[in-house]
Amino acid sequence: TDEKKAELDGLLDGFDRKRFGAGFTNALDNALNFTKTLNNKREAIRALQISAGEAFDYFLAMNDSFLNTIAGMSKLSSHGEVFNMAATYVNFLLGKERAGRERAVLARAFATDTCSPAAFNQFSAYVIEQETYLKVFLSIASDEQREFYRGKMSGQAVNEAERMRLIAFEKGTGGNFGIDSENWFKTATAKINLLKEVEDKLSNDLYSKAFALNKESRRAVVIYIAIASAAVTIAIFFAYFIAGGIIKPIVSTIVVMDKLCKGDLSAHFGDRKRKDEIGQLFEAVHALTDSLKQVVSISHEIANGNLMVNVRERSPEDTLMQTLSRMIKKLTEVVANVQGAATNILMGGRQIN
């Protein structure tokens, strides 16, 4: 018991019990409070300062406290299989605990060869509870666990303990059992040790399952992180690719527009075959450039004296072409007036001569 207590203290060192909720924390603290008085209670028992009944009740309460803590632990998992395995383990522990209580009650009865009605009722209750818990255990245990249990409960110690139990039921409160108390205690202990082997298997099964699920969950987290990282990387790549497909054409368009603002109509575009909005933007700027080139061409013709150049309005709102058209008309009128004036001057000069 001292070794197991030291092992438990080492396990609980640094253990954050509060993260499992107030119910579990309170149950564990209540159980651990019994261990704080264990040495004092032992000394009192050795010194015969307390009765056997008081000592029995103390250890009974301690065991109940730890069993309640274990029972509460079964509720902490939302995983169906783990919950079922924990419930299997808890029911078996409760049945095994009743076997220990049965051993203690009958040890006193066989030692005195008498059994009071209260003690007989207590014994009967422990047997009924033991059988009930073990039946529940068998109903939810796996096939392997049931076979292991049945294999352990088929030996000589189990059969002998059952024989002595039946005698206790037959004699009842009448006593005169004719059973050696030490032999009963030894036999019942051998049976309980077999039950302990079943307990160890159930505990190992539960631990192995929890460990496997923990490992699986960690692997799932790693896979999830890897997938998420890959998804983010792909998203960044596509975002860069898409952004490049948008930003570069826009920058190219800005460069062209800047040249147009400075009067440079020699700027060239990239891929004008695009069918998206960027392609439409290219076409619009290209159309603007062609329009400006047309205006420049007409202006050159006018500058070179060609007032017969054709100025075609591209829309009713084409104020630029309308202005050029009026300018040509005005220049034509001016030229006609100049020519008329020149003709009149020439004619006047001839008359003077």
Side-chain angles (χ1 to χ4, degrees):
T1 301
D2 290 340
E3 290 178 359
K4 293 297 181 182
K5 180 179 179 300
E7 184 178 343
L8 176 62
D9 291 338
L11 178 65
L12 294 177
D13 185 24
F15 173 70
D16 184 13
R17 66 191 74 180
K18 293 183 179 179
R19 68 189 183 97
F20 294 104
F24 171 78
T25 301
N26 293 335
L28 180 59
D29 288 341
N30 184 54
L32 293 176
N33 285 335
F34 280 96
T35 65
K36 297 177 181 178
T37 59
L38 179 59
N39 290 332
N40 291 335
K41 191 65 64 175
R42 284 173 172 173
E43 291 298 327
I45 293 172
R46 292 191 187 98
L48 301 179
Q49 295 175 350
I50 59 176
S51 65
E54 185 180 350
F56 179 78
D57 290 341
Y58 169 80
F59 288 106
L60 194 68
M62 176 189 290
N63 290 346
D64 283 340
S65 295
F66 278 103
L67 288 171
N68 288 337
T69 304
I70 296 173
M73 290 171 61
S74 66
K75 304 175 183 178
L76 297 178
S77 175
S78 59
H79 191 277
E81 189 174 358
V82 172
F83 178 83
N84 185 76
M85 293 180 71
T88 301
Y89 180 57
V90 168
N91 278 279
F92 181 82
L93 283 181
L94 293 172
K96 174 174 170 286
E97 168 62 17
R98 268 54 182 184
R101 297 180 185 185
E102 177 191 3
R103 178 181 61 180
V105 171
L106 287 186
R108 285 186 291 177
F110 292 154
T112 60
D113 208 25
T114 59
C115 186
S116 68
F120 183 79
N121 290 337
Q122 195 177 43
F123 157 65
S124 300
Y126 290 153
V127 172
I128 293 173
E129 291 174 4
Q130 180 182 167
E131 296 300 326
T132 300
Y133 283 125
L134 291 178
K135 285 181 180 179
V136 174
F137 151 70
L138 289 172
S139 69
I140 58 179
S142 66
D143 292 339
E144 180 191 3
Q145 290 170 340
R146 280 194 289 267
E147 288 301 317
F148 187 84
Y149 169 79
R150 287 166 180 156
K152 292 297 179 182
M153 292 294 103
S154 60
Q156 180 181 356
V158 176
N159 295 333
E160 182 64 11
E162 181 65 21
R163 185 188 69 82
M164 288 187 274
R165 172 196 281 178
L166 291 176
I167 292 176
F169 272 120
E170 290 173 0
K171 299 292 184 177
T173 57
N176 298 317
F177 300 108
I179 296 176
D180 181 66
S181 178
E182 291 186 4
N183 183 44
W184 157 253
F185 195 89
K186 180 180 179 181
T187 303
T189 300
K191 175 185 175 182
I192 292 173
N193 288 339
L194 293 173
L195 291 172
K196 181 64 170 66
E197 293 182 30
V198 179
E199 175 193 340
D200 291 341
K201 174 175 174 50
L202 297 177
S203 176
N204 289 333
D205 288 348
L206 180 57
Y207 174 81
S208 297
K209 185 63 180 179
F211 181 81
L213 288 174
N214 181 60
K215 186 177 180 180
E216 181 179 339
S217 65
R218 289 177 179 272
R219 182 168 60 251
V221 169
V222 172
I223 293 174
Y224 173 79
I225 293 175
I227 293 175
S229 299
V232 170
T233 301
I234 293 173
I236 292 174
F237 171 77
F238 276 108
Y240 177 80
F241 178 78
I242 293 172
I246 296 174
I247 294 175
K248 288 182 179 180
I250 292 177
V251 171
S252 176
T253 303
I254 292 173
V255 171
V256 172
M257 295 297 293
D258 184 63
K259 289 184 178 181
L260 292 178
C261 290
K262 297 176 181 179
D264 183 359
L265 303 182
S266 63
H268 298 283
F269 289 93
D271 185 9
R272 291 174 52 200
K273 297 180 180 180
R274 294 179 58 148
K275 302 300 182 181
D276 56 6
E277 289 78 2
I278 298 298
Q280 295 176 6
L281 177 62
F282 280 171
E283 287 296 330
V285 177
H286 182 72
L288 173 62
T289 304
D290 287 345
S291 176
L292 291 175
K293 288 180 179 180
Q294 184 180 1
V295 171
V296 170
S297 177
I298 294 173
S299 299
H300 283 168
E301 292 294 328
I302 295 173
N304 292 330
N306 181 13
L307 299 181
M308 300 301 294
V309 65
N310 182 29
V311 179
R312 182 170 56 85
E313 295 180 13
R314 293 156 297 188
S315 71
E317 293 79 20
D318 193 354
T319 56
L320 183 57
M321 288 300 185
Q322 292 172 3
T323 300
L324 286 175
S325 180
R326 288 197 300 270
M327 184 176 67
I328 292 174
K329 183 179 180 180
K330 190 68 176 177
L331 287 174
T332 301
E333 291 176 356
V334 171
V335 170
N337 290 335
V338 171
Q339 288 178 346
T343 301
N344 290 334
I345 293 173
L346 181 60
M347 294 285 296
R350 290 177 179 176
Q351 290 176 359
I352 294 174
N353 293 330

